[in-house]
Amino acid sequence: MQTQRRDLGKRPVRRALMSGAAAALLLLSGCGASDGRVDEKDKAAGDTTCDGRIEGTAHITMWFHAGQSGEQTTLKSQVKEFNRAQDQVRVELVTLPEQRPYTELVLSAAASGDLPDLLDFDGPNLYSYAWSGTLRPIDSCVPARTRKDLLPSLREQGTYDGRLWGVGTFDSGLGLYVRPSVLKDAGVRIPKGVDDAWTADELTEILRTLRKAGYEAPLDLNFIDSKTADEWNTYAFAPAVWSAGGDLIDPEEFRTADGFLNGPESVEALTTMQRWVQEGYVDRDRKKDKSAFVKGRTPISWMGHWKYGEFSEAHPGDVAIVPLPDFGTGTVTGMGSWQWGIPSGEADGDAVWRFLEYLLRPEQVVRMSEANGAIPGTEGAVKRSPLYGENGAERLFIEQLRGGTARPRPQTPAYPAVTAAFSHAVADIVFSGAPVDKTLDDAVEAIDQELAAHDGYPKSGP
């Protein structure tokens, strides 16, 4: 079907400029529709997004968030090369207004029925989009071999209510970046993997040791204060709560946060982190200088995969990645990144999947992960990336995603309310010294009010 261009924020939509070397021949083999893609289970569940056929020449539009320049440049090239290599599906990458936040644009377009045929969105928002009917299930589109090749973390993140709604070409990694030379000089052991992570108490002692060695504030938490609290606070610090045995919400039914977010385990984890800040072990110069680890002020940084390149360039041969601390039940880490889904509407699902299938090819996954520094989202691509090999510098990240140490953020349509409440609570407690119990009780109240307003978000949808 021909999708009309749309006027977003009173600014004309235009075809994005595309550049980069052609790799058309990579696409020519194996880009026909897969036969027998819809199985009886999918038909019974009413999933007819894909039926294995594309009628005529299909025109599809797609949106992509304003991420790193490397991501945008790579995607533009991929679109151009895909269009050049075949003539059955034409893809248009829509240029979006830069003045409005991406998620705000998505919600506004969903309300007015103006979403594109292919949508890029932050993974944890999938559950809200699926529940509200914004997305179509894609079980009927994704062949078993492709699903098997996805990292288990991506399969988990893309699933809601037993159906697959999204796929990603990359995932994320979170851990502690450390300077081995500094730790060895201070007599501090360096964990070899998830089975011998530092405990939270051990990390406290390490911070004291490093202060005596001359590092006044040896830990960089990359904190976001309460006025600008965003998804980083949830992605980065929910693992501390999970590791302690707490949670942000009832993990089974998602009906309440009471007794979970404000339970004793959650209180203990955030109290420990608050104490690190109050005792001065955490670098507080982030507002004027976000380069504590790069400039050598801190030899430990609680950070994600996207900093590996910068950190290793600043300290060649002297950067290692170790697990987040164990707060009581074992180390836990964050996961999840941007995913692709097919919005509800009249788009030809098979045409959309034809392009997604191209993006999920090993060489294209590697290409994107090299552009943005993320973790390749398929096993085929991981095998081509030496950073994740047996002795690779970022091996820990892939082990965490494969082995279950990485945990998705709460898989509930209430997630936007959960992350808003938790992110601000972390900022207030850890970085501003607010009373832990009361602040978490207030966060629980905000989350439970949202749940009550939607009758607990029943799985049948609105």
Side-chain angles (χ1 to χ4, degrees), residues 23 39 47 51 76 79 90 108 151 185 214 238 302 348 442:
D39 62 22
D47 177 4
D51 61 10
K76 288 177 181 178
V79 169
R90 315 309 296 167
S108 176
L151 294 182
D185 287 346
W302 190 303
D348 185 331
D442 290 345

Side-chain angles (χ1 to χ4, degrees), residues 386-429:
L387 284 173
Y388 309 101
E390 194 64 37
N391 298 309
E394 297 187 69
R395 176 72 177 184
L396 176 69
F397 290 151
I398 197 68
E399 289 179 345
Q400 292 180 152
L401 293 172
R402 284 173 174 164
T405 304
R407 181 167 168 177
R409 280 156 278 178
Q411 296 175 283
T412 168
Y415 182 76
V418 173
T419 187
F422 181 74
S423 181
H424 282 87
V426 167
D428 291 340
I429 291 168

